[in-house]
Amino acid sequence: MSVYLDYNASAPIDQRVLDEMILAYQNKSGNADSRTHSFGENARSAVEKARKQVASLLGVSSNEVFFTSGATESNNIALQGLKEYAEKTGKKHIITTSIEHKAVLETAKYMELNGYQVDFVDPNESGRVSVESVLDKVREDTLLVSVMHVNNETGVIQPVLELGEELQKRSILFHIDATQSCGKLVDEIRNLKYDMLSFSAHKLMGPQGVGALILKRKSYKRPPVKGIMYGGQQEQGIRPGTIPVALVVGCGKACEIAEQEYKDNEMHSLQIKQAILSVLEESGLKYQVNGKQDVCISSTLNIAIEGVSSEALMISSKQYCGVSNGSACTSSNYSPSYVLVAMGLDVSRIESSLRLSWGAKSDLNEIVDNLKKMLNVAKMMKN
Ligand code: PMP
């Protein structure tokens, strides 16, 4: 059996989450926005419990949590939802990075085509953008800075803590895509200063198709974001449409479990990373790690095996390891990872790069055994 090493694309659902969701599908059949009967009240109370679970994990108030279909939608609302405010204030300059997920990059590019000016800040070879390179771009008319917390391809943690402090002093709106850090860097997220934050439940072992946008209040006021779809008043108009109660319940439960278990998960993930690095060392293959490891999360490793095409290796060792060489959202047709390109890595290194990512359910021995088999295939490919 192949071992799953693509948690950054999507993590398997936790059985405890699934159990709660099944109960919700069976027993919470109402619409959470129906006011006239107990079925609606039942559904509403399940949604509000989930909202509290999300708020507790992130260290925010329940009234700052808005459920969406996931990080792609949250990111779209965070950026596009500012249009009305931008028109009113004349602020039409956005700063983001060249290594954001497509859900931010493509939204920013769309806004660029529609009268906004966007600066895409590059990282250095470590995979990190510097605070200075972002702040250098700030202008009088800067509307928003959007920087991801953890990069999905390299696992590198971006300096959002420092950026948040600096941007708050300058009263500039700050959005963080925390999809890869939510439920993992729990203490750090609680200390961040931001206006908007996005995540998807499936990256923390919740269900696919649900996530949240956090809209932090300052002096009781929400950031000036408006919903980008027209419809009902669900989620205060930020995200119209019937709330998917069971998905939201699953999202809440995943957050509750992450809050209870993130410290153990972190230790487990670190042990796996060390074991993977030992297997690589012992293999005798020449490899390089992409992304600076002292600012990298414990559950991701991006490596380049010298002289081995990652595409060829992934296909010929599928029976051992399920890995990837980039974001699933861009992998339908092969093109070199834009993240590694932005880091300035050379083409041959990029073409031999693989992303391994794992999590709380991963079995260390199974990973070690299967990785050894994959690396044997890599050795054969070199000969
Ligand atoms: N942002 C980041 C950093 C991600 O890794 C992902 C998922 N790959 C997304 C946003 C989009 O999440 P979803 O596909 O669940 O909307």
Side-chain angles (χ1 to χ4, degrees), residues 72-223:
T72 297
E73 188 173 47
S74 299
N75 289 343
N76 269 271
I77 300 171
L79 272 73
Q80 293 195 61
L82 288 173
K83 278 184 190 163
E84 204 177 297
Y85 176 75
E87 290 298 334
K88 214 162 36 187
T89 57
K91 292 187 174 187
K92 288 192 158 189
H93 174 236
I94 296 171
I95 305 169
T96 186
T97 81
S98 54
I99 57 167
E100 295 302 306
H101 186 271
K102 292 279 181 181
V104 167
L105 274 186
E106 293 301 318
T107 309
K109 285 181 192 165
Y110 161 75
M111 290 177 78
E112 206 174 21
L113 292 175
N114 286 276
Y116 289 74
Q117 285 170 336
V118 185
D119 277 310
F120 297 92
V121 176
D122 283 328
N124 51 32
E125 207 186 317
S126 71
R128 228 178 180 225
V129 294
S130 72
V131 176
E132 300 71 43
S133 59
V134 174
L135 295 180
D136 279 353
K137 299 285 181 203
V138 169
R139 312 189 318 208
E140 279 283 296
D141 63 341
T142 301
L143 169 71
L144 172 77
V145 174
S146 179
V147 177
M148 67 197 331
H149 193 184
V150 167
N151 182 268
N152 43 307
E153 291 194 26
T154 60
V156 171
I157 303 165
Q158 304 303 318
V160 289
L161 190 68
E162 301 89 320
L163 271 175
E165 268 156 28
E166 292 302 322
L167 293 168
Q168 196 174 58
K169 282 185 215 157
R170 294 163 173 79
S171 299
I172 292 171
L173 292 168
F174 186 32
H175 167 247
I176 301 175
D177 178 353
T179 308
Q180 296 291 347
S181 59
C182 184
K184 294 175 189 151
L185 303 181
V186 173
D187 300 313
E188 189 170 318
I189 290 186
R190 287 174 176 166
N191 287 319
L192 296 177
K193 294 196 169 70
Y194 59 88
D195 300 281
M196 296 167 276
L197 179 142
S198 309
F199 78 91
S200 273
H202 68 110
K203 309 286 182 178
L204 55 141
M205 303 179 85
Q208 298 174 341
V210 64
L213 175 65
I214 309 303
L215 296 177
K216 279 288 270 290
R217 287 174 185 254
K218 282 195 184 123
S219 323
Y220 306 105
K221 268 181 76 179
R222 252 181 16 211

